[in-house]
């Protein structure tokens, strides 16, 4: 019978049978089969600078959707989709793009040749092509880039971690070093004299490679390629399979950053994957540790759980006041294009781009957002500046959805989890109705009953319909036929109980006159509160009124709308008089 390791508390005490938080039982999962990454990779970093560093500028973003992302698709992109994706990346402002693996497929080879034959790549964009350290594949790769007038980077890679060396390649450290140097020598021989060509090397699975061996290999390659500030070499250090907490990756990057030879001639790059769900954190900490360049996919597509997500990384910087240097101002169009090209949907809760990421259903969130939006509007008006120019300070919304080309229509949506704040926000923004707080509370109860019964979200249109059904009466038993103010008196004509009732009321306003006439007709109404406002500006604007009333020992709310404030108020009174008992 298998023995599981003993589970202990932070103090070292055995957890089984202990009181409080640490009363746990062993799971049935065989965690003992795996080794802590610290036992496999010991990073001799010593003092760390990265914890105190800050990101004050964007790194060079390099999308690999056309190569790494494409390899991860069940249906790789056809030439038309690949071109459309490339044109999207250009439009977004990327200045270095990995365009393919030309030795792996004819489609990739032909796409690289397209860049040589046409001007679809602007002159300031660097083109990256990918190749293993095998001479015949390097030859094919070099052939694909001949004639391209843009700067070209030939990206050479070989796996270097112990498991890959022993199981996949069957080589020890010395033999693998010679294989890599031979590949680098082939690249130099075949492409060293091509104009505008630079080189890149990736020790694949860098994050599981012994730090001293990774350093030895990288230094050997940069020495052979004579890395210099005039012709820099990109050293790309991938977390090919994410196996550790992000701080370990940061330590590995800082070790390389400090100890690399020819550091001034090296562009230090990272390529995190997302196996542990912390690829974003790995990339950010790696930049703090010295990385200057980040490879990833626009929305994180890639093998297994994906490559690092450039959109999230870039917009994280934007949210901290740092220019991300990539244009996401029409993020929905970007999403549509990526979904078309990859045939993969973007999740509704994907950071920044998902359909629901700027949407609040929770009542407390809605209340805070509504107040924040109102304060933002008022502050901008007081400063005499446009709202888009005013500092963004809205609870629960780290960035202004308008920065991404989105409207505020879907910021607050209502379901059974929502409260009065969200309901009031929708009616205000969609229909111009500024409900009194007590009416908000009353309506929220009705909406809650509706959404509990249906189990579904309620749209703004459905919400307005429910509001009208609750506070207006279309088929009225008592109607206001005419009202007129003349000579200090208000004349009221009601149609009540099958007959016309005429009355004149002096020294009172129209609302008081109508309530008096209703009392005379046997339908007394006590007005407890009256709120009025205009919905639109200028001539022909619509006015609305909300009244809280008491009738026959019950209280309620009624609503009226008309072209004048007085007429709207009288309509509300008549809706109250006709409300079901």
């Amino acid at each position: 019978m298998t023995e599981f390791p003993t589970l202990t508390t932070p103090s070292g005490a055995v957890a089984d049978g202990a009181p409080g938080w640490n009363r746990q039982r062993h799971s049935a999962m065989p965690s003992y089969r795996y080794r802590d990454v610290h036992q496999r990779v010991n990073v001799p970093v010593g003092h760390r600078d990265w914890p105190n560093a800050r990101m004050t500028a964007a790194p060079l973003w390099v999308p690999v959707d056309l190569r790494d992302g494409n390899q991860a698709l069940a249906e790789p992109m056809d030439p038309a989709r690949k071109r459309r994706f490339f044109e999207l990346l250009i439009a977004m402002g990327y200045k270095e793009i990995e365009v393919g693996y030309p030795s792996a497929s004819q489609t990739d080879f032909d796409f690289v040749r397209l860049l040589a034959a046409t001007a679809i790549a602007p002159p300031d964009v660097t083109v990256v092509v990918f190749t293993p350290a095998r001479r015949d594949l390097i030859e094919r790769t070099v052939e694909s880039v001949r004639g391209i007038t843009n700067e070209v980077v030939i990206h050479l890679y070989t796996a270097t971690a112990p498991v890959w060396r022993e199981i996949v390649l069957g080589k020890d450290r010395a033999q693998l070093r010679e294989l890599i140097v031979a590949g680098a020598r082939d690249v130099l021989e075949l492409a060293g004299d091509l104009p505008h060509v630079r080189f890149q090397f990736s020790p694949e699975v860098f994050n599981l490679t012994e730090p001293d061996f990774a350093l030895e290999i990288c230094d050997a390659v940069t020495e052979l390629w004579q890395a210099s500030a005039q012709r820099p070499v990109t050293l790309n250090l991938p977390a090919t399979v994410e196996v550790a907490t992000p701080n370990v990756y940061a330590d590995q990057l800082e070790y390389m950053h400090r100890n690399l030879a020819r550091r001034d001639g090296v562009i230090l790059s990272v390529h995190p994957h997302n196996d542990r769900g912390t690829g974003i954190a790995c990339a950010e900490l790696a930049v703090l540790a010295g990385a200057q360049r980040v490879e990833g996919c626009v929305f994180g597509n890639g093998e297994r759980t994906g490559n690092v997500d450039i959109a999230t990384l870039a917009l994280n910087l934007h949210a901290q006041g740092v220019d991300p240097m990539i244009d996401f101002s029409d993020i929905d169009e970007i999403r549509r294009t990526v979904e078309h090209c990859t045939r993969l949907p973007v999740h509704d809760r994907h950071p920044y781009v998902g359909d629901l990421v700027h949407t609040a259903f929770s009542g407390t969130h809605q209340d805070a957002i509504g107040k924040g939006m109102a304060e933002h509007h008022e502050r901008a008006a007081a400063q005499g500046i446009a709202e888009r120019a005013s500092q963004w300070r809205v609870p629960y919304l780290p960035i202004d959805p308008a920065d991404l080309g989105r409207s505020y229509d879907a910021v607050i949506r209502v379901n059974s989890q929502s409260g009065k704040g969200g309901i009031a926000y929708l009616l205000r923004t969609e229909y111009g109705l500024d409900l009194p707080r007590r009416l908000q509370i009353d309506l929220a109860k009705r909406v809650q009953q509706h959404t509990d019964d249906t189990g579904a979200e309620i749209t703004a249109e459905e919400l307005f319909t429910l509001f009208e059904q609750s506070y207006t009466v279309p088929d009225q038993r008592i109607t206001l036929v005419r009202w007129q103010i003349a000579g200090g008196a208000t004349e009221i004509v009601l149609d009540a109980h099958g007959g016309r009732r005429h009355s004149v009321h002096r020294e009172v306003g129209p609302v008081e006159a109508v309530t008096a006439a209703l009392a005379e007709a046997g339908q007394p109404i006590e007005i407890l509160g009256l709120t009025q406002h205009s919905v639109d500006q200028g001539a022909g604007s619509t006015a609305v009124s909300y009244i809280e009333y008491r009738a026959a020992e019950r209280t309620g709310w009624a609503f009226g709308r008309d072209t004048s404030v007085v007429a709207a108020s009288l309509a509300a009174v008549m809706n109250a008089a006709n409300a079901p008992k």
Side-chain angles (χ1 to χ4, degrees):
M1 183 171 130
T2 302
E3 285 189 19
F4 286 82
T6 302
L7 183 66
T8 60
T9 69
S11 64
V14 176
D16 279 353
W21 67 269
N22 58 350
R23 189 183 295 124
Q24 305 179 52
R25 299 198 63 82
H26 298 303
S27 78
M29 299 180 64
S31 302
Y32 63 88
R33 299 174 60 212
Y34 304 96
R35 293 172 58 201
D36 180 0
V37 71
H38 295 85
Q39 298 174 4
R40 292 181 275 174
V41 179
N42 182 24
V43 187
V45 70
H47 172 75
R48 295 167 174 81
D49 291 327
W50 65 260
N52 296 319
R54 295 291 181 270
M55 292 180 70
T56 57
L60 174 64
W61 307 115
V62 181
V64 296
D65 297 82
L66 301 180
R67 193 275 301 174
D68 200 346
N70 193 44
Q71 291 173 225
L73 299 175
E75 297 180 65
M77 286 180 268
D78 56 40
R81 281 181 164 83
K82 197 157 191 180
R83 178 166 181 166
R84 183 171 175 182
F85 206 129
F86 180 76
E87 290 170 343
L88 170 70
L89 298 174
I90 295 295
M92 293 174 68
Y94 289 100
K95 296 303 181 185
E96 186 168 325
I97 302 169
E98 190 169 79
V99 298
Y101 193 159
S103 66
S105 74
Q106 189 64 43
T107 299
D108 272 25
F109 185 90
D110 290 345
F111 184 75
V112 178
R113 295 309 301 153
L114 178 68
L115 302 182
T118 66
I120 65 171
D124 61 344
V125 171
T126 297
V127 172
V128 185
V129 289
F130 187 76
T131 180
R134 240 179 65 187
R135 186 176 178 89
D136 60 325
L137 302 182
I138 294 169
E139 288 176 339
R140 178 75 166 163
T141 302
V142 173
E143 187 60 31
S144 75
V145 302
R146 289 191 185 278
I148 295 179
T149 56
N150 296 69
E151 183 176 69
V152 173
V153 174
I154 296 177
H155 180 184
L156 180 76
Y157 85 97
T158 301
T160 55
V163 173
W164 277 254
R165 292 197 308 261
E166 297 161 9
I167 296 175
V168 181
L169 301 172
K171 297 184 181 298
D172 60 22
R173 284 174 51 153
Q175 291 169 324
L176 184 62
R177 184 185 191 281
E178 180 51 39
L179 182 152
I180 292 170
V181 170
R185 194 179 294 115
D186 290 339
V187 169
L188 186 61
E189 175 192 337
L190 297 167
D193 61 343
L194 294 180
H196 316 302
V197 171
R198 293 191 293 105
F199 305 135
Q200 174 175 336
F201 173 65
S202 289
E204 190 189 4
V205 210
F206 158 80
N207 60 319
L208 277 172
T209 301
E210 306 91 331
D212 65 315
F213 185 53
L215 184 64
E216 177 188 340
I217 293 293
C218 288
D219 283 347
V221 170
T222 57
E223 180 180 5
L224 178 65
W225 286 342
Q226 291 295 290
S228 67
Q230 292 70 39
R231 193 180 186 182
V233 167
T234 300
L235 287 178
N236 186 55
L237 307 178
T240 309
V241 180
E242 194 181 28
V243 295
T245 50
N247 61 295
V248 175
Y249 192 47
D251 284 350
Q252 292 172 316
L253 262 293
E254 184 157 330
Y255 171 79
M256 297 294 284
H257 171 59
R258 287 184 189 176
N259 293 288
L260 280 169
R262 300 177 179 268
R263 182 66 184 87
D264 291 343
V266 168
I267 300 170
L268 194 57
S269 174
V270 291
H271 181 118
H273 278 247
N274 198 43
D275 299 86
R276 290 169 54 94
T278 56
I280 297 292
C282 280
E284 291 179 329
L285 296 192
V287 171
L288 298 181
Q292 301 150 287
R293 178 182 183 273
V294 176
E295 293 186 353
C297 287
V298 174
F299 295 134
N301 174 45
E303 299 284 5
R304 304 179 310 281
T305 59
N307 292 294
V308 75
D309 184 320
I310 295 179
T312 302
L313 285 166
L315 292 171
N316 283 353
L317 286 181
H318 175 68
Q320 297 299 312
V322 177
D323 185 348
M325 306 301 287
I326 299 295
D327 185 2
F328 285 96
S329 61
D330 191 355
I331 202 163
D332 288 324
E333 177 59 26
I334 295 169
R335 183 190 63 191
R336 285 190 290 270
T337 300
V338 171
E339 288 180 329
H340 166 77
C341 293
T342 63
R343 301 178 177 91
L344 292 176
V346 173
H347 196 280
D348 286 348
R349 294 295 184 185
H350 187 291
Y352 299 108
V353 67
D355 276 340
L356 298 179
V357 297
H358 300 120
T359 300
F361 289 104
S362 160
T364 55
H365 288 208
Q366 292 174 342
D367 181 62
I369 290 171
K371 290 174 179 174
M373 296 287 283
E375 193 273 342
H376 180 70
H377 174 77
E378 293 166 3
R379 179 163 31 85
Q383 295 171 340
I385 60 176
E387 290 187 34
R388 289 296 307 281
S390 181
Q391 184 183 17
W392 183 253
R393 296 174 61 248
V394 175
Y396 296 112
L397 294 178
I399 67 171
D400 185 346
D403 291 352
L404 306 180
R406 288 185 165 174
S407 69
Y408 300 118
D409 294 348
V411 168
I412 290 177
R413 289 161 58 177
V414 173
N415 63 12
S416 61
Q417 304 300 307
S418 306
K420 67 182 188 306
I423 294 165
Y425 176 88
L426 278 185
L427 290 176
R428 182 171 63 251
T429 56
E430 296 293 325
Y431 295 96
L433 303 182
D434 193 4
L435 273 58
R437 184 175 182 277
R438 286 171 56 78
L439 177 54
Q440 293 177 25
I441 295 170
D442 188 82
L443 177 59
K445 294 175 183 177
R446 299 171 187 266
V447 173
Q448 181 76 47
Q449 181 65 51
H450 174 87
T451 53
D452 280 345
D453 289 345
T454 64
E457 179 185 351
I458 183 170
T459 66
E461 183 179 2
E462 292 168 335
L463 180 61
F464 181 69
T465 298
L466 178 61
F467 173 78
E468 284 198 314
Q469 291 172 346
S470 300
Y471 304 112
T472 64
V473 181
D475 299 320
Q476 298 189 346
R477 306 181 312 277
I478 304 174
T479 58
L480 178 60
V481 178
R482 187 176 75 252
W483 64 276
Q484 180 177 326
I485 302 174
T490 302
E491 178 186 3
I492 302 294
V493 178
L494 296 176
D495 191 340
H497 311 302
R500 292 289 175 94
R501 302 182 66 90
H502 176 274
S503 60
V504 177
H505 308 269
R506 301 183 182 280
E507 298 182 355
V508 295
V511 171
E512 292 86 348
V514 169
T515 56
L518 287 168
E520 292 172 3
Q523 191 71 38
I525 293 287
E526 180 184 358
I527 305 300
L528 304 177
L530 171 63
T531 304
Q532 308 162 323
H533 68 81
S534 294
V535 173
D536 311 303
Q537 299 292 325
S541 64
T542 300
V544 296
S545 291
Y546 319 93
I547 66 167
E548 187 176 16
Y549 66 89
R550 180 183 291 114
E553 303 304 320
R554 64 180 176 84
T555 60
W557 284 88
F559 170 70
R561 177 197 294 265
D562 213 301
T563 54
S564 75
V565 171
V566 173
S569 298
L570 297 183
V573 172
M574 295 308 298
N575 281 320
N578 286 281
K581 298 180 180 179

